Amino acid sequence: MNKELSREERTDALGGMGCKRKRVEDARFTQGKGNYVDDIKLPGMLHGDFVRSPYAHARVVSINTDAAMALDGVIAVLTAADLAPLGLHWMPTLAGDKQMVLADGKVLFQGQEVAFVVAKDRYIAADAVELVEVEYEELPVLTDPFAALESDVVLREDLDPTADGAHGPRKHHNHIFTWEVGEKDATEQVLDEADVVAEEMVYYHRTHPCPLETCGCVASMDKVNGKLTLHGTFQAPHAIRTVVSLISGIEEHNIRVISPDIGGGFGNKVGAYPGYVCSVVASIVTGVPVKWVEDRMENLMTTAFARDYWMKGKISATKEGKITGLWCHTTADHGGFDACADPTKFPAGFMNICTGSYDIPTAYLAVDGVYTNKAPGGVSYRCSFRVTEAAYFIERMIEVLAIELNMDAAELRRINFIRKDQFPYQSALGWEYDSGDYHTAWDKALKAVDYDGLRAEQAQRVEDFKAGKTRKLMGIGLTHFTEIVGAGPVKNCDILGLGMFDSCEIRIHPTGSAIARLGTISQGQGHATTFAQILATEIGLPADSITIEEGDTDTAPYGLGTYGSRSTPVAGAATAMAGRKIRAKAQMIAAYLLEVHDDDVEFDVDRFVVKGAPEKFKTMKEIAFAAYNQAIPGIEPGLEAVSYYDPPNMTYPFGAYICVMDIDVDTGETDIRRFYALDDCGTRINPMIIEGQVHGGLTEALAVALGQEIAYDDMGNVKTGTLMDFFLPTAWEVPNYETDHTVTPSPHHPIGAKGVGESPHVGGVPCFSNAVNDAFRAFGLRHTHMPHDHWRIWKTANDLGLHG
Amino acid sequence: MSNKKVFKLTVNGEEQEFLAEPRELLIHTLRERLGKTGPHIGCETSHCGACTVTLNGKSVKSCTVFVAQADGAEITTIEGLGNPDNLHVLQESFKEHHGLQCGFCTPGMITRASKLLEENPNPTEQEVRFGMAGNICRCTGYQNIVKSILAAAAEMNAAKEAAE
Ligand code: FES
Ligand code: FES
């Protein structure tokens, strides 16, 4: 009986926060019983497929669909002309711009959607795509954002060049916005007067989140009841419902959006894509369900690129290495439409976290968004909004400054870290960092890898190389990153006017089990496992007795979804707060049952006990039953709660990463000998899942740093449109990672958790890149651009004269 | 287009006979015609391995096999490896060692790993990494997948020894 169990045993029995609970999702996934979008098969379902532009910039002179329509099994071919009467040939983007659903007179990037074929099966649809005849007239192509800002060629003829854009004045017909933060004049003055200034152009190349499952949906219009059901790979189902309602005119209560199991997201599945709109229209027109699932090439070429930031930086310091100022001007290539997924007031996301982990008194950041003939997107690929760009920028600038100062880069970081006693810390670019202890983390990391020993080994290697004894150099990559996640406070964070709170609703069943529904959606993060752990600790019922449900807008409370590591900081907080409401009511019930005053009972793991008389108690299970079977004066029956959590601040996870890499100067091959990752994500909910997230994020970082890119030629052709050319590392290329942690809880979060899913990516990219750059430091290299594939590394070695 | 032909497959021990176009890709036959939605589609170009099945005793990427090429074949998908009452050691092991996150690669991974352990019951870590290099995972970074497979191998070998 419970009474005989010790407090520890009762705690363990809950499977609450801090334990390595095995995942409840895994039974279905390991047996092939997941339910992903492409697994959905509805009666009479048709298949949609796109005719796409082979050109990056062209006028669409004519579209002839006769031959396609004549093919047996083709039901419809939609073009912009068909969507125009409904006002659906364009759609609003998340960034306040608009985007063509189907080509309206011209195309602006290769792969742009031109016509939508609807047919009885996917083979007939693909055949019909080939039969649609489109006549194009080629236009000059702009793939370089700097050239685009000088060019007479007007990309967006639909926009009035003199009118303001969504984020203020536009300077040129291909310019989208200028965003400025910090103090320009003061920063320039600091730079002018500084002992030392390091300057560098840091390009963060265009890449793509490329989850293993591509994007897709099944739209099903029930004309009898007037209800639209939309299954899709959505990271933000409620936001999609609102967007669909706004653009289609269907009332929101008549739309049900369901995100089933999602095969990875990483930012790719935040946005709204033409395929969704076309599927909905096609289902409304035909009256039967329509499925659209993009193939890998369509995924890489059209939905949601990431990065493409040209970051020009200047950083100043005293002779001793104390940083005095940071200046950054970024030219942001947004492609043909501005479809970035950022909170409305932040057109460059949280790029202003670019002062990083350092106490930099004066700073200035300006970002110019530019249209080019590339795909739209600009999503946060496994990071909070543009935080990877910011972390990469500052961590490269620190390295360049170390070279300028002829200082050790680890020491330069140490003397500039924000000190523990400075938190909450007000950054020069406007953020209030909640908590941190950077020095402790840094020292622990350096000690773990024997940093001094590594540097000695590296120096020896350089000697050996010079003496002709080896052809391999050694790089030591350092990174100390600070993330900003958990968007965010409704006062300054919204998407399309929707405040970025999140939510949790809990129902306790009479026999002491529960269901909790959230506004987020897991894409592999294991929410069904970890949110139940939070609740188990908060409400004292076993995690195994708590079902977590997400992703169905008819049942889940409104929330802004899962991206930017916001689930734990925001929905996790909502979960804890809803749990506390349950507990507050349970306390009153317990007091009634124990015949004492409310204040005379206290919560103890899985029960309420009478203060000072622990043998008198009611377990949460007993309380749950009482809530349903006793008439308690002044208390409503039932035990349910809902919480909408508006976070008071962001959370600021941080970490210290060190990578040791050998580089073959003659082949450009890299061998990652060691990777040590220390993460501080505040309170740790499930260490097993945290570790898994770190492994995955580091591997995506390795990919981006060492080879993954969306590259274009001058004609705007995508050169990396298949997995043959677009680098996804396999088990063979990936090292084993060493993980470690410190714990600095967030002071404003109900359970102190900060979020972790994206930290390893944010910190990993600069760490791998710094290792490559560091290997060549002794030979005069300051900076070389990512991705560091074998060819580029070979070229770097060659340019430095290392090939003899 | 009606150049449909009759094809026969044995899938997870069950004989199936159906009419299909020869050009139909085996992954579509399995998923859409025969309801085996365990194997997934991640690329359709033989790179990702999400569609991996065992065909006549070999690991095969079913996205690049025409159903005509598979006529008469014996096929095992993830659905045929174990069932809720009798899971394959690898299915248990992936759960135990957190060898999956979104689960999209998992059916292909486990199907491939089951074959790998038949080909090489006692692999080193490097052999596992090499033998699994045809299967891409975007979530886990592979570390726990490798761990899951090595643990499964150890367990299977221990069971074999005990039986002998
Ligand atoms: S879908 Fe077959 S290998 Fe990717
Ligand atoms: S678990 Fe998501 S791709 Fe492997």
Side-chain angles (χ1 to χ4, degrees):
Chain A
M1 295 263 90
N2 269 357
K3 233 188 270 179
E4 292 150 23
L5 295 179
S6 71
R7 203 160 184 276
E8 286 66 38
E9 287 166 327
R10 287 190 284 124
T11 305
D12 288 350
L14 290 180
M17 276 192 284
C19 81
K20 296 186 175 182
R21 183 177 188 225
K22 302 291 179 228
R23 302 202 329 161
V24 296
E25 294 88 343
D26 292 356
R28 67 178 187 278
F29 293 148
T30 52
Q31 294 177 62
K33 298 293 181 198
N35 183 36
Y36 302 89
V37 167
D38 203 13
D39 299 340
I40 292 166
K41 203 173 175 181
L42 300 177
M45 187 172 77
L46 301 173
H47 292 259
D49 202 350
F50 277 111
V51 177
R52 294 181 178 275
S53 170
Y55 299 109
H57 195 199
R59 266 187 221 299
V60 176
V61 179
S62 66
I63 304 176
N64 184 339
T65 63
D66 294 349
M69 281 302 292
L71 186 67
D72 199 23
V74 174
I75 310 298
V77 183
L78 301 176
T79 65
D82 302 308
L83 300 185
L86 307 166
L88 291 176
H89 54 322
W90 287 74
M91 63 178 187
T93 69
L94 295 179
D97 193 3
K98 54 184 180 151
Q99 174 178 353
M100 289 180 218
V101 172
L102 290 171
D104 183 22
K106 74 185 290 194
V107 289
L108 286 162
F109 63 94
Q110 188 184 46
Q112 189 179 326
E113 300 80 3
V114 174
F116 188 67
V117 172
V118 185
K120 282 196 173 145
D121 71 35
R122 62 173 88 218
Y123 287 79
I124 299 172
D127 287 339
V129 163
E130 299 297 314
L131 295 174
V132 175
E133 292 161 22
V134 185
E135 193 186 332
Y136 297 95
E137 181 187 304
E138 285 183 70
L139 295 168
V141 173
L142 299 173
T143 57
D144 172 27
F146 298 98
L149 284 178
E150 307 277 299
S151 173
D152 294 338
V153 176
V154 181
L155 297 181
R156 291 291 298 276
E157 291 160 334
D158 58 295
L159 300 178
D160 173 357
T162 60
D164 279 5
H167 307 288
R170 298 169 61 219
K171 294 190 278 208
H172 179 269
H173 51 250
N174 296 329
H175 177 252
I176 309 173
F177 64 83
T178 300
W179 189 57
E180 283 181 284
V181 200
E183 297 180 60
K184 185 166 190 280
D185 295 342
T187 305
E188 280 166 4
Q189 194 181 339
V190 167
L191 292 173
D192 280 347
E193 294 166 0
D195 295 349
V196 179
V197 179
E199 202 174 326
E200 195 56 65
M201 170 64 97
V202 179
Y203 176 48
Y204 200 146
H205 60 288
R206 181 175 275 240
T207 181
H208 193 283
C210 194
L212 198 56
E213 176 202 38
T214 59
C215 301
C217 71
V218 181
S220 176
M221 185 72 203
D222 174 347
K223 289 203 172 174
V224 175
N225 296 307
K227 294 242 179 208
L228 172 71
T229 304
L230 184 61
H231 288 85
T233 50
F234 309 130
Q235 287 181 240
H238 283 97
I240 290 283
R241 184 184 73 191
T242 303
V243 171
V244 170
S245 176
L246 290 174
I247 67 180
S248 70
I250 302 171
E251 279 197 78
E252 217 167 336
H253 74 106
N254 278 331
I255 303 173
R256 179 180 184 190
V257 174
I258 302 175
S259 295
D261 287 328
I262 296 186
F266 317 123
N268 196 173
K269 295 166 179 171
V270 173
Y273 302 123
Y276 305 157
V277 179
C278 289
S279 303
V280 168
V281 173
S283 180
I284 292 173
V285 171
T286 59
V288 290
V290 175
K291 178 189 274 188
W292 167 75
V293 177
E294 60 179 3
D295 66 25
R296 180 55 63 193
M297 201 174 224
E298 294 176 294
N299 174 251
L300 290 173
M301 286 174 67
T302 69
T303 47
F305 79 90
R307 333 287 195 226
D308 218 346
Y309 260 33
W310 292 88
M311 302 175 284
K312 183 151 183 50
K314 295 177 199 170
I315 187 164
S316 61
T318 64
K319 288 193 296 295
E320 296 74 31
K322 189 81 191 88
I323 300 172
T324 54
L326 180 72
W327 179 98
C328 177
H329 180 269
T330 295
T331 302
D333 185 339
H334 284 217
F337 307 97
D338 185 12
C340 289
D342 294 312
T344 308
K345 295 187 189 74
F346 297 89
F350 304 154
M351 177 66 192
N352 53 331
I353 192 75
C354 65
T355 50
S357 309
Y358 312 101
D359 183 14
I360 302 180
T362 316
Y364 169 70
L365 165 71
V367 182
D368 277 300
V370 184
Y371 290 122
T372 61
N373 289 119
K374 297 185 192 166
V379 298
S380 313
Y381 169 8
R382 201 159 187 155
C383 67
S384 190
F385 314 99
R386 301 290 186 183
V387 173
T388 296
E389 287 88 331
Y392 179 59
F393 170 74
I394 184 66
E395 289 302 299
R396 282 303 305 140
M397 291 308 292
I398 291 283
E399 294 280 317
V400 174
L401 179 62
I403 292 171
E404 200 73 44
L405 288 160
N406 197 20
M407 243 181 112
D408 176 75
E411 185 56 20
L412 177 61
R413 283 180 173 85
R414 186 205 310 274
I415 63 174
N416 284 290
F417 282 143
I418 301 162
R419 292 186 322 273
K420 190 179 174 187
D421 60 312
Q422 286 176 288
F423 291 95
Y425 173 81
Q426 205 66 43
S427 81
L429 294 178
W431 297 116
E432 187 184 296
Y433 293 28
D434 59 350
S435 64
D437 184 354
Y438 301 163
H439 287 96
T440 300
W442 195 237
D443 291 343
K444 189 173 182 188
L446 296 182
K447 191 157 173 244
V449 299
D450 180 20
Y451 180 69
D452 293 338
L454 285 174
R455 283 292 178 206
E457 185 190 347
Q458 184 187 39
Q460 184 59 47
R461 186 74 72 83
V462 169
E463 290 313 310
D464 289 351
F465 182 86
K466 286 180 177 162
K469 290 192 212 155
T470 178
R471 296 297 291 162
K472 286 193 179 165
L473 294 176
M474 176 177 160
I476 303 169
L478 303 175
T479 284
H480 191 288
F481 65 93
T482 296
E483 258 223 292
I484 171 170
V485 306
V490 173
K491 62 177 187 288
N492 60 1
C493 288
D494 72 274
I495 286 186
L496 294 174
L498 304 165
M500 295 180 75
F501 58 83
D502 227 291
S503 57
C504 174
E505 180 196 282
I506 306 171
R507 295 183 187 174
I508 311 290
H509 306 315
T511 50
S513 63
I515 182 164
R517 297 189 170 99
L518 292 95
T520 44
I521 175 74
S522 188
Q523 307 128 38
Q525 296 91 336
H527 290 176
T529 305
T530 51
F531 286 136
Q533 289 180 260
I534 296 177
L535 273 182
T537 298
E538 291 291 342
I539 65 178
L541 293 173
D544 287 344
S545 301
I546 302 169
T547 297
I548 300 289
E549 203 181 88
E550 302 174 297
D552 181 342
T553 59
D554 264 11
T555 56
Y558 206 100
L560 266 275
T562 295
Y563 45 86
S565 277
R566 63 187 299 283
S567 296
T568 297
V570 192
T575 304
M577 296 312 269
R580 286 172 197 182
K581 288 185 187 177
I582 294 278
R583 220 159 80 183
K585 184 168 177 181
Q587 179 165 5
M588 293 193 283
I589 297 172
Y592 171 81
L593 296 174
L594 292 163
E595 298 180 4
V596 294
H597 189 271
D598 290 357
D599 293 340
D600 294 334
V601 292
E602 63 188 355
F603 188 68
D604 178 40
V605 184
D606 58 353
R607 61 190 61 182
F608 276 94
V609 299
V610 175
K611 284 183 189 165
E615 70 288 354
K616 287 191 190 150
F617 64 87
K618 287 289 168 190
T619 64
M620 283 301 291
K621 222 175 141 105
E622 293 169 320
I623 294 167
F625 196 69
Y628 289 89
N629 91 330
Q630 300 233 3
I632 304 175
I635 298 180
E636 283 180 16
L639 193 50
E640 299 188 3
V642 55
S643 168
Y644 282 78
Y645 186 79
D646 179 8
N649 189 4
M650 312 281 183
T651 58
Y652 298 77
F654 61 92
Y657 291 178
I658 297 171
C659 171
V660 185
M661 189 187 275
D662 283 331
I663 293 182
D664 186 318
V665 169
D666 298 316
T667 63
E669 281 172 294
T670 46
D671 177 21
I672 298 148
R673 259 165 53 188
R674 189 160 185 197
F675 199 106
Y676 169 89
L678 179 151
D679 274 282
D680 192 321
C681 58
T683 304
R684 292 157 62 84
I685 300 166
N686 183 328
M688 175 190 85
I689 286 183
I690 291 173
E691 199 170 277
Q693 290 286 315
V694 173
H695 295 166
L698 288 175
T699 302
E700 291 193 338
L702 179 154
V704 169
L706 300 186
Q708 185 180 88
E709 69 178 318
I710 297 290
Y712 289 82
D713 69 11
D714 292 344
M715 306 285 289
N717 296 308
V718 179
K719 296 197 287 181
T720 52
T722 72
L723 298 190
M724 179 72 111
D725 321 288
F726 185 81
F727 175 50
L728 298 182
T730 69
W732 186 244
E733 284 111 358
V734 173
N736 281 311
Y737 305 103
E738 295 162 55
T739 54
D740 204 346
H741 63 274
T742 54
V743 178
T744 312
S746 168
H748 64 75
H749 188 278
I751 57 170
K754 290 187 166 187
V756 74
E758 298 166 335
S759 293
H761 193 73
V762 169
V765 172
C767 193
F768 286 112
S769 179
N770 283 346
V772 172
N773 279 282
D774 180 69
F776 295 103
R777 178 173 167 174
F779 301 90
L781 182 72
R782 273 169 68 94
H783 172 79
T784 174
H785 293 314
M786 292 191 295
H788 306 294
D789 55 22
H790 300 168
W791 151 246
R792 285 185 176 93
I793 291 177
W794 180 90
K795 180 89 170 43
T796 298
N798 198 258
D799 291 347
L800 292 170
L802 301 185
H803 290 151
Chain B
M1 272 205 207
S2 202
N3 57 347
K4 293 194 174 171
K5 293 202 164 54
V6 176
F7 295 105
K8 273 192 205 159
L9 297 176
T10 306
V11 179
N12 301 332
E14 269 178 50
E15 261 194 51
Q16 309 275 359
E17 196 174 309
F18 51 89
L19 208 57
E21 284 185 60
R23 67 165 178 173
E24 187 169 291
L25 297 172
L26 181 58
I27 184 70
H28 292 139
T29 309
L30 292 171
R31 288 176 48 81
E32 292 177 15
R33 206 174 277 287
L34 306 178
K36 303 291 179 232
T37 54
H40 296 136
I41 300 172
C43 68
E44 294 175 300
T45 51
S46 280
H47 291 103
C48 77
C51 61
T52 303
V53 299
T54 306
L55 185 144
N56 292 337
K58 287 207 172 80
S59 290
V60 154
K61 292 175 175 173
S62 61
C63 70
T64 25
V65 176
F66 292 123
V67 66
Q69 293 171 285
D71 194 19
E74 298 234 1
I75 292 170
T76 308
T77 68
I78 183 77
E79 289 93 337
L81 277 187
N83 60 55
D85 301 323
N86 185 20
L87 291 176
H88 191 283
V89 177
L90 280 160
Q91 289 171 318
E92 301 268 22
S93 186
F94 268 63
K95 175 169 177 155
E96 187 59 30
H97 298 285
H98 192 27
L100 64 148
Q101 291 180 24
C102 79
F104 202 74
C105 70
T106 312
M109 282 286 174
I110 292 181
T111 308
R112 169 59 198 144
S114 71
K115 202 66 226 161
L116 174 71
L117 293 186
E118 276 176 44
E119 292 159 5
N120 180 359
N122 220 338
T124 62
E125 179 184 336
Q126 285 311 298
E127 284 167 344
V128 169
R129 286 185 176 273
F130 191 75
M132 296 301 296
N135 290 65
I136 285 173
C137 175
R138 290 290 289 142
C139 301
T140 64
Y142 304 105
Q143 195 156 328
N144 289 342
I145 289 179
V146 173
K147 205 165 148 192
S148 306
I149 296 171
L150 289 171
E155 196 175 319
M156 286 159 81
N157 290 335
K160 222 186 291 165
E161 252 171 55
E164 274 161 16

